[in-house]
Amino acid sequence: MKYTYYPGCSMEGTGRNYGESLVAVFKALGHDLEPLADFNCCGFIAYMSIDQAQALALAARNLSLAEQRGVAELVTPCTACQVVLNRVDDFRVRYPQLMDSVLSTMRESGLDYRGTVKIKHPLEVLFDDVGVDSMKERAKGKLSGFRVACYYGCLYNRPHTISEEHFFPTKMEEMFSGLGMEVVDYHLKTKCCGGSLTNTVEAVGLDSVFKLLQGAKRLGVDAIATTCPLCQFNLEAYQGRISAMFDEDVRVPVMYFSEVLGLEFGIPEKELGLQRLFAPPSLARA
Amino acid sequence: MERNGHPKIGVYVCHCGVNIADKVNVPDVVEFASSLPYVAIAREYQFMCSDPGQEIIEQDLRDGLVDRVVVAACSPLMHEGTFRHATEEGGANPFLYQHANIREHVSWVTADGELATDKAKSLVAAAVRRVALAEPLERKQVPIDDHALVVGGGIAGIEAALVLANAGRKVYLVEREPSIGGHMAMFDKTFPTLDCAACILTPKMVQVGQHPNIEVLAYSEVEDVSGYVGNFEVRVRRKARYINEDLCNGCGLCIEKCPWKNIPSEFDQGLGNRPVVYMPFPQAVPRLPVIDREHCVYFQNGKCGACKKFCPRDAIDFEQEDKIVELKVGAVVIATGFKPFDASRIPLYGYGRFPNVITSVEFERMANAAGPTGGKIVMKDGSVPKRVGIAHCVGSRNQNYNSYCSTVCCMYSLKFAHLVHERTGAEVYNFYIDMRTAGKGYEDFYHRLMAEGTHFVRGRVAEITDVPQVPEEDGHLVIQAEDTLIGVVRRIPVDMVILSIAMEPQADATEVRRKFGMSCSGDGFFLEKHPKLAPTATLTDGIFIAGACQGPKDIPASVAQGQGAAAQALSLIDSGSMELEPNTAFLTEELCSGCRTCVGLCPYNALAFDEERKVVALNEALCKGCGVCVAACPSGALQQHLYTDEQILEEIRGVLAYG
Amino acid sequence: MKAPPFLQGRITYENQITPDFAAEVAAIPGGEGIFECLQCGTCSGVCSVAPYMDYTPRRLINMVRAGFKDEVLHSRTVWLCTGCYACAVNCPAGIHITDVMYALKRLAIRNGAHPRRYPIPVLVSEFINNVRQTGRSNEAKLVVRVALRTNPLRLLKAAPLGLKMLRSGRMHVRGTRIEDPQRLNRMLESVSEARK
């Protein structure tokens, strides 16, 4: 089956191996993952901080493009993009006057959006549509007993959630344990990593990351699996500095959940972009 | 219209102070009314419902100026009765009266004065037309059965039953659990006096059990209700205990001898175990055990049967079946209580994940001397806590769960703080949003707890976690909340957390209220007839409600409602008979084709088919005016007094003719 | 009117606050629930960055309600909010707190209420420029420009990480653009026009 995905602006940069591993994993399961052509930046948290109506229009353009191409389910790997895109439909319900104004103006620019596109995270697509049983067929047992902490980040299922509890989602754990890995009880799994604070107000950002790493390290894991490019980067990129700052070694391998899946399916590391990781897992078992 | 000769209709338009007159041009309506056919007199007055207002009607009738009355005023719910009475006082049949609602249906809901006046005129025109076709009717008297039914054996139900029984009335008390007592029987101490709950409750329970006028049907549920006020027919299922009540003397040997003692006790909230044959608690009324069939080895594979072997009175009866009893009662008091909120619905609080996060009901069982820990306040591993957190407003005051305040939690949270201080010397932290201590002696109780050195943190608990951020937190539960009065986020390590959970309607509240024909309010609790003036009556005559099933409340309020509802039931029963609206059906034989559609539909068996004459016969004495046959009759042979087709159609014509 | 000197700073007089600020915020889509805030503090309690804020989220909402416009718009709080929605999904009064924070960010920018070199609003404005020019956002460019405008020395400190990113192929230097950024810009402009 062909899925269309919304890459977001980090796929070509920090999230490059996220995109690579997702495409590889979907292909291994018999599905194609194709990017939405001519997509624009969703606006992240930045645009909403300047202008509400424009921010909604910016996001809605992508939905309009998807709708025009008959895409019913837009797979969105970055959880921040997911929230921003979801907000369009959310605001249509909550603030119809505002959205009417935005959407009718967009219509004049040839960008009609009627609310038919559903935003779905690839984790949910794999869990709900493809199914763990289907994935078990591809499992090679390469990560049997792999201890993993599932870190969803704050925006995976907040504020919109299809079926997961806001603070303690379980789909990643169910998926991994169904494939024979050992998932740990990582209670910090939706605590915010600080987002762009690591770049702007460093002290706060690094402290947030430290708490997350410390929590995982104490549980003794082979890796933290993430669902968002910014989270993954924040968790992996500053480990040395943080360990020094807080006088505690919190170095832990951090990868994307799709890379974990890819390894389990026996996909070559280069296809998963594993060489791009700054804190790669040790795969002695494999 | 000519059927009733030449009626002389009097139309009286009320100002209702400014309630109607502010919007509706009353003089204009009066002028319009006097132009209508058959209207002999049209008047207006400030307050028609007042004595002088009613006197106007009565005088006109006495003077022979009018013989039928229309009053255009407020809702008939308010004063239809008043004006029917005035009509009667004036010497006419009270049913030669029609009420037009130009307040709730016009002045209170129409913004434009002209439109309002127009609408008022059309409603008056309709009422005039209808009253012209009114017939003189006699109210029917039905006897009131002098038995009462109380559903629910908690404190409210117990109090209601005692009031009724002491007045000499026979009361059936139906209780779902094996023993009466309700939630109050689970508690340790009660606020603000710190009375032991069992000590004040059990004498009442014994009184109920021994009272000659009360028949306790415990371990029973209401299955079906039919009938109407004064004459309810209630079918009750008495569930099989597998114990012969007539033989059992409550010695408890079977319980002692039962080898299977590891069933989680429902009464102890799962904190302790009970045997398969058990009594929920030692002071149970009735003092009869019950065999839990689901877990009983004898029922599973025919083995064991120890209880039967040891029973000195041979009272164990494995063949026993559920029994159905049919009760006839005149009034019902529903006192079915509440359900505690399921705290696992708030995952951030860790209930179910952390063994030492417990609910208030669980804590009551722990603190109770007859409970699973013998009254000791301990953690799951048996050790005594040094620091205890109490979280207020769990599931209450929250749009995500229940938006109402559960009323009692602040007080019982203070009570818990006191018990923890007293028995363990631990530090106690109460996390609250507002302190609601409004009852008698409640504010003093709050001061007592402040003086005891309770740590009050004004801030709703945001999260309970076991992930430490500093070494001191390691191995403890940590409560994170903002101390709003100081303005900082605090993390407080504790050993145990008590969640002060909301009171919710019972899980089967919808089913129960449908059986009795009650409504519920938005939060699911049973709906009272009027929130201020009739909190224990319902919109269904003869059904009263009391206690937590009407809304969260404490024991004094439940008792007051139980006693109040019983008093209302008593006043109904003691009046001996009730007048029903004369809206029974009547039959025009010539129109009956003998199709018999109506016969099977009548819930009161008031219709029978006459084989000889090939038409249906109606027994008006049995008819209760439900209207089903009238609606079903294809030829219109069956009509309903007060609501004949002709009357209704004339009313419609009145509106259309004007509009 | 200045407060008498001996009371300066101890009493807040009504003419020192902005009474219609609350209504202004409540009128913004997302802000409508603020009047029903119970001040329970759940938002502050679950907020992952509340401990670093000058005013906790709960306190800020009360300041908005009371009309303390200057203090609110000059606070660090509105900028530290990462938009994680922990507060909004937990709020017992159902207030869309995250949307309120976004609204306050916008008001702060409009009122010029933040220090010129404060990194977060700088990041916001650089981000917007990038999007308006190309229809996309380039991470590398963003990081560099923010550093240049706020603290150029940071670039030196970040150089090793930058190098790592370049070598691992995770730094996209060229920057992509959508087919017709101008058309996007015009559309965004007309959206704002229509709102006036």
Side-chain angles (χ1 to χ4, degrees):
Chain A
M1 198 180 131
K2 181 164 100 91
Y3 286 98
T4 306
Y5 77 104
Y6 176 81
C9 301
S10 47
M11 281 294 132
E12 57 189 14
T14 52
R16 193 157 164 202
N17 45 325
Y18 191 16
E20 289 168 339
S21 57
L22 274 176
V23 170
V25 164
F26 268 69
K27 191 145 111 205
L29 293 166
H31 302 285
D32 285 315
L33 201 55
E34 290 194 11
L36 182 71
D38 201 34
F39 74 91
N40 59 279
C41 175
C42 72
F44 188 47
I45 59 168
Y47 220 109
M48 189 52 88
S49 307
I50 288 263
D51 190 311
Q52 192 178 48
Q54 285 193 14
L56 291 162
L58 192 67
R61 177 177 175 276
N62 296 299
L63 298 173
S64 166
L65 292 178
E67 194 175 73
Q68 278 170 27
R69 291 165 206 166
V71 176
E73 218 173 61
L74 186 59
V75 183
T76 312
C78 167
T79 57
C81 299
Q82 183 194 235
V83 168
V84 173
L85 295 176
N86 249 328
R87 199 154 43 205
V88 173
D89 279 322
D90 183 36
F91 269 46
R92 282 176 86 231
V93 173
R94 276 167 43 196
Y95 307 111
Q97 266 187 344
L98 167 62
M99 285 314 290
D100 276 345
S101 166
V102 170
L103 291 172
S104 57
T105 318
M106 286 177 68
R107 214 170 292 136
E108 286 160 26
S109 311
L111 290 164
D112 195 9
Y113 176 55
R114 280 187 220 131
T116 62
V117 182
K118 290 276 161 283
I119 308 296
K120 231 171 164 184
H121 193 275
L123 174 63
E124 287 187 308
V125 174
L126 290 173
F127 190 93
D128 294 340
D129 298 352
V130 177
V132 180
D133 287 328
S134 195
M135 286 190 260
K136 278 192 185 140
E137 287 165 21
R138 307 260 185 236
K140 301 277 192 296
K142 293 206 176 276
L143 291 181
S144 154
F146 190 70
R147 267 177 83 84
V148 58
C150 297
Y151 178 65
Y152 297 77
C154 62
L155 298 179
Y156 164 73
N157 64 338
R158 290 203 293 268
H160 317 102
T161 172
I162 298 177
S163 57
E164 298 258 55
E165 197 281 324
H166 287 303
F167 289 85
F168 300 103
T170 56
K171 285 188 178 165
M172 212 195 311
E173 282 94 332
E174 286 180 60
M175 196 187 286
F176 287 168
S177 60
L179 294 169
M181 295 175 233
E182 195 185 320
V183 295
V184 299
D185 224 351
Y186 187 49
H187 289 163
L188 301 169
K189 56 178 135 175
T190 58
K191 189 167 161 41
C192 182
C193 69
S196 48
L197 288 179
T198 43
N199 198 32
T200 52
V201 185
E202 208 180 59
V204 177
L206 294 181
D207 192 32
S208 305
V209 175
F210 167 65
K211 292 199 182 79
L212 294 169
L213 292 174
Q214 185 191 53
K217 182 96 183 184
R218 284 197 179 154
L219 292 167
V221 294
D222 293 316
I224 303 176
T226 64
T227 59
C228 166
L230 191 46
C231 294
Q232 197 276 339
F233 180 74
N234 272 337
L235 288 180
E236 73 171 353
Y238 307 103
Q239 291 190 3
R241 272 183 70 195
I242 289 175
S243 300
M245 247 172 95
F246 293 91
D247 197 22
E248 186 176 331
D249 181 4
V250 288
R251 276 180 280 242
V252 179
V254 182
M255 32 196 309
Y256 289 102
F257 85 96
S258 44
E259 291 177 316
V260 175
L261 280 179
L263 281 175
E264 174 56 38
F265 294 161
I267 299 174
E269 291 187 21
K270 267 216 123 181
E271 262 183 64
L272 302 172
L274 242 54
Q275 75 283 10
R276 307 191 201 278
L277 291 176
F278 299 159
S282 84
L283 297 165
R285 69 186 67 269
Chain B
M1 285 270 265
E2 299 308 325
R3 243 182 59 201
N4 281 314
H6 221 70
K8 290 183 287 199
I9 300 174
V11 177
Y12 304 88
V13 185
C14 187
H15 285 232
C16 194
V18 297
N19 278 305
I20 294 175
D22 247 9
K23 259 307 148 54
V24 174
N25 185 336
V26 173
D28 204 9
V29 175
V30 169
E31 202 190 307
F32 167 74
S34 35
S35 73
L36 294 171
Y38 301 114
V39 172
I41 288 214
R43 300 192 199 277
E44 61 182 277
Y45 190 63
Q46 285 284 317
F47 299 103
M48 281 305 302
C49 57
S50 64
D51 275 351
Q54 294 176 51
E55 181 59 27
I56 298 175
I57 299 173
E58 291 168 26
Q59 197 54 48
D60 282 350
L61 282 162
R62 280 194 282 264
D63 291 344
L65 296 173
V66 303
D67 56 22
R68 283 158 197 263
V69 176
V70 167
V71 175
C74 52
S75 159
L77 268 180
M78 302 281 134
H79 281 301
E80 184 178 58
T82 311
F83 297 124
R84 276 187 182 161
H85 180 84
T87 308
E88 203 172 13
E89 288 293 299
N93 182 289
F95 295 96
L96 297 177
Y97 167 79
Q98 185 65 27
H99 196 100
N101 182 345
I102 60 169
R103 190 182 74 175
E104 281 85 337
H105 283 186
V106 181
S107 65
W108 276 2
V109 297
T110 316
D112 178 72
E114 257 188 60
L115 289 175
T117 309
D118 268 356
K119 187 172 176 182
K121 287 180 188 171
S122 67
L123 290 178
V124 166
V128 165
R129 286 206 184 206
R130 185 160 168 169
V131 85
L133 293 182
E135 323 152 75
L137 296 166
E138 294 306 315
R139 280 201 179 88
K140 215 163 80 153
Q141 296 259 350
V142 288
I144 307 254
D145 192 305
D146 64 354
H147 292 56
L149 169 66
V150 176
V151 183
I155 186 63
I158 287 172
E159 290 289 342
L162 286 171
V163 166
L164 286 160
N166 288 336
R169 300 286 158 219
K170 172 79 191 277
V171 183
Y172 302 107
L173 177 56
V174 173
E175 164 56 52
R176 173 162 66 186
E177 298 299 318
S179 164
I180 59 174
H183 278 100
M184 190 173 165
M186 297 177 187
F187 300 162
D188 176 36
K189 304 272 191 292
T190 56
F191 58 75
T193 47
L194 297 175
D195 278 303
C196 149
C199 307
I200 55 178
L201 177 64
T202 49
K204 299 258 172 187
M205 286 168 60
V206 169
Q207 247 192 310
V208 165
Q210 292 178 344
H211 205 295
N213 286 341
I214 302 181
E215 189 178 325
V216 176
L217 296 119
Y219 207 48
S220 307
E221 282 191 70
V222 170
E223 277 211 335
D224 190 65
V225 181
S226 58
Y228 56 101
V229 57
N231 300 276
F232 292 110
E233 280 168 28
V234 183
R235 188 164 73 224
V236 175
R237 173 178 295 271
R238 306 213 55 193
K239 299 185 285 197
R241 287 179 190 258
Y242 308 106
I243 309 281
N244 186 327
E245 286 181 45
D246 299 319
L247 295 174
C248 174
N249 64 0
C251 69
L253 199 55
C254 53
I255 300 174
E256 214 185 290
K257 295 297 182 188
C258 177
W260 312 96
K261 291 193 179 355
N262 57 350
I263 315 298
S265 162
E266 296 87 346
F267 191 76
D268 282 342
Q269 306 299 305
L271 292 180
N273 291 333
R274 60 159 173 78
V276 167
V277 55
Y278 70 103
M279 260 191 270
F281 53 97
Q283 308 95 326
V285 170
R287 190 170 172 70
L288 290 170
V290 63
I291 296 180
D292 170 9
R293 188 195 173 112
E294 202 190 312
H295 294 109
C296 175
V297 165
Y298 181 88
F299 281 108
Q300 282 166 4
N301 56 23
K303 302 265 176 37
C304 187
C307 49
K308 193 171 169 83
K309 293 193 193 93
F310 283 99
C311 176
R313 318 252 306 181
D314 197 21
I316 307 284
D317 177 8
F318 290 117
E319 312 303 313
Q320 193 179 74
E321 287 184 358
D322 291 355
K323 216 164 58 170
I324 304 289
V325 298
E326 308 271 355
L327 306 173
K328 281 190 167 45
V329 297
V332 182
V333 175
I334 313 275
T336 48
F338 69 95
K339 172 183 77 135
F341 174 76
D342 175 9
S344 63
R345 289 170 63 188
I346 309 184
L348 276 176
Y349 284 2
Y351 179 72
R353 268 189 297 134
F354 304 128
N356 289 310
V357 173
I358 61 176
T359 64
S360 43
V361 190
E362 287 167 4
F363 181 80
E364 291 280 3
R365 292 312 301 148
M366 203 196 289
N368 191 305
T373 62
K376 291 201 199 51
I377 296 172
V378 288
M379 306 203 286
K380 281 296 170 3
D381 64 2
S383 57
V384 179
K386 297 213 180 51
R387 297 157 71 94
V388 176
I390 302 178
H392 293 219
C393 302
V394 176
S396 305
R397 303 187 70 190
N398 193 322
Q399 275 192 22
N400 301 311
Y401 306 103
N402 300 298
S403 56
Y404 51 82
C405 165
S406 290
T407 312
V408 301
C409 330
C410 277
M411 279 305 290
Y412 73 58
S413 300
L414 291 173
K415 176 183 79 174
F416 291 166
H418 173 79
L419 291 175
V420 171
H421 284 151
E422 194 180 59
R423 299 202 194 156
T424 66
E427 297 296 324
V428 180
Y429 294 83
N430 280 57
F431 296 86
Y432 67 100
I433 306 176
D434 292 292
M435 248 332 163
R436 297 193 159 175
T437 52
K440 201 160 181 175
Y442 290 10
E443 188 69 13
D444 286 338
F445 194 65
Y446 180 26
H447 278 261
R448 177 177 179 172
L449 267 300
M450 285 196 273
E452 273 182 24
T454 315
H455 303 277
F456 286 103
V457 177
R458 189 198 173 277
R460 179 173 171 271
V461 171
E463 190 182 354
I464 300 173
T465 175
D466 64 350
V467 179
Q469 280 184 11
V470 292
E472 295 75 44
E473 292 176 359
D474 211 352
H476 294 278
L477 289 171
V478 179
I479 295 181
Q480 182 162 314
E482 184 190 4
D483 188 331
T484 65
L485 293 177
I486 300 178
V488 289
V489 177
R490 291 176 69 176
R491 286 174 63 96
I492 300 180
V494 294
D495 301 318
M496 177 196 266
V497 182
I498 308 171
L499 301 177
S500 300
I501 49 180
M503 290 170 84
E504 289 183 324
Q506 290 274 17
D508 62 353
T510 306
E511 236 180 272
V512 169
R513 70 174 176 83
R514 285 204 178 129
K515 282 185 187 148
F516 288 96
M518 294 189 286
S519 311
C520 67
S521 40
D523 47 28
F525 290 103
F526 298 149
L527 187 63
E528 61 286 318
K529 188 168 185 180
H530 189 282
K532 285 194 262 298
L533 300 180
T536 53
T538 64
L539 291 160
T540 307
D541 287 334
I543 310 283
F544 303 96
I545 50 179
C549 65
Q550 184 257 353
K553 55 178 62 70
D554 54 22
I555 292 168
S558 300
V559 167
Q561 283 202 342
Q563 295 173 340
Q568 287 182 295
L570 256 185
S571 93
L572 176 65
I573 291 174
D574 278 4
S575 64
S577 66
M578 226 185 115
E579 277 188 339
L580 295 184
E581 280 275 277
N583 60 346
T584 50
F586 64 95
L587 176 69
T588 308
E589 255 189 42
E590 301 87 70
L591 297 174
C592 176
S593 66
C595 74
R596 285 171 274 189
T597 306
C598 57
V599 178
L601 289 172
C602 177
Y604 305 103
N605 296 314
L607 289 159
F609 185 64
D610 187 336
E611 294 286 349
E612 273 181 36
R613 294 168 57 238
K614 302 281 193 240
V615 290
V616 146
L618 168 66
N619 181 342
E620 275 213 39
L622 292 176
C623 173
K624 301 294 172 282
C626 73
V628 172
C629 62
V630 175
C633 177
S635 61
L638 282 164
Q639 291 284 312
Q640 190 162 13
H641 287 305
L642 279 187
Y643 297 95
T644 63
D645 286 353
E646 225 182 296
Q647 286 169 346
I648 297 174
L649 286 169
E650 261 309 291
E651 200 176 352
I652 296 174
R653 281 182 205 120
V655 170
L656 293 175
Y658 181 78
Chain C
M1 187 193 101
K2 277 185 69 160
F6 62 91
L7 287 176
Q8 201 133 27
R10 303 307 294 273
I11 297 182
T12 302
Y13 295 92
E14 283 299 288
N15 57 22
Q16 291 169 306
I17 58 175
T18 316
D20 50 11
F21 183 51
E24 187 188 345
V25 174
I28 300 173
E32 62 278 355
I34 58 173
F35 289 121
E36 292 189 62
C37 173
L38 297 177
Q39 289 289 294
C40 69
T42 303
C43 49
S44 315
V46 288
C47 175
S48 49
V49 288
Y52 314 107
M53 292 173 168
D54 40 5
Y55 305 111
T56 58
R58 167 209 57 90
R59 194 169 167 195
L60 201 77
I61 304 258
N62 225 19
M63 290 163 71
V64 169
R65 291 202 295 194
F68 283 61
K69 181 172 179 174
D70 283 339
E71 289 86 343
V72 169
L73 296 182
H74 282 89
S75 68
R76 292 283 186 264
T77 302
V78 299
W79 295 111
L80 283 178
C81 170
T82 60
C84 82
Y85 286 94
C87 53
V89 304
N90 250 322
C91 175
I95 300 170
H96 303 291
I97 303 170
T98 317
D99 293 328
V100 174
M101 287 295 174
Y102 279 124
L104 294 175
K105 284 182 170 91
R106 297 193 292 267
L107 286 173
I109 289 180
R110 210 174 304 160
N111 282 263
H114 57 83
R116 231 164 37 92
R117 291 167 66 150
Y118 193 50
I120 305 169
V122 168
L123 182 142
V124 167
S125 86
E126 284 303 327
F127 193 102
I128 307 303
N129 287 343
N130 201 179
V131 171
R132 297 300 292 261
Q133 271 169 21
T134 64
R136 300 275 281 272
S137 151
N138 182 296
E139 294 163 316
K141 208 155 127 187
L142 189 65
V143 169
V144 168
R145 291 193 68 94
V146 171
L148 285 177
R149 273 177 66 180
T150 60
N151 182 6
L153 289 164
R154 279 199 69 228
L155 275 179
L156 289 170
K157 265 174 69 180
L161 182 58
L163 221 52
K164 241 159 95 170
M165 301 209 43
L166 206 50
R167 273 192 276 125
S168 64
R170 287 163 78 175
M171 188 183 308
H172 195 94
V173 189
R174 256 197 6 232
T176 336
R177 50 177 56 219
I178 59 175
E179 274 171 29
D180 194 346
Q182 283 316 311
R183 189 161 164 227
L184 173 64
N185 270 323
R186 284 195 298 272
M187 190 263 285
L188 293 174
E189 288 297 336
S190 55
V191 164
S192 289
E193 278 304 312
R195 298 282 302 156
K196 292 214 173 88

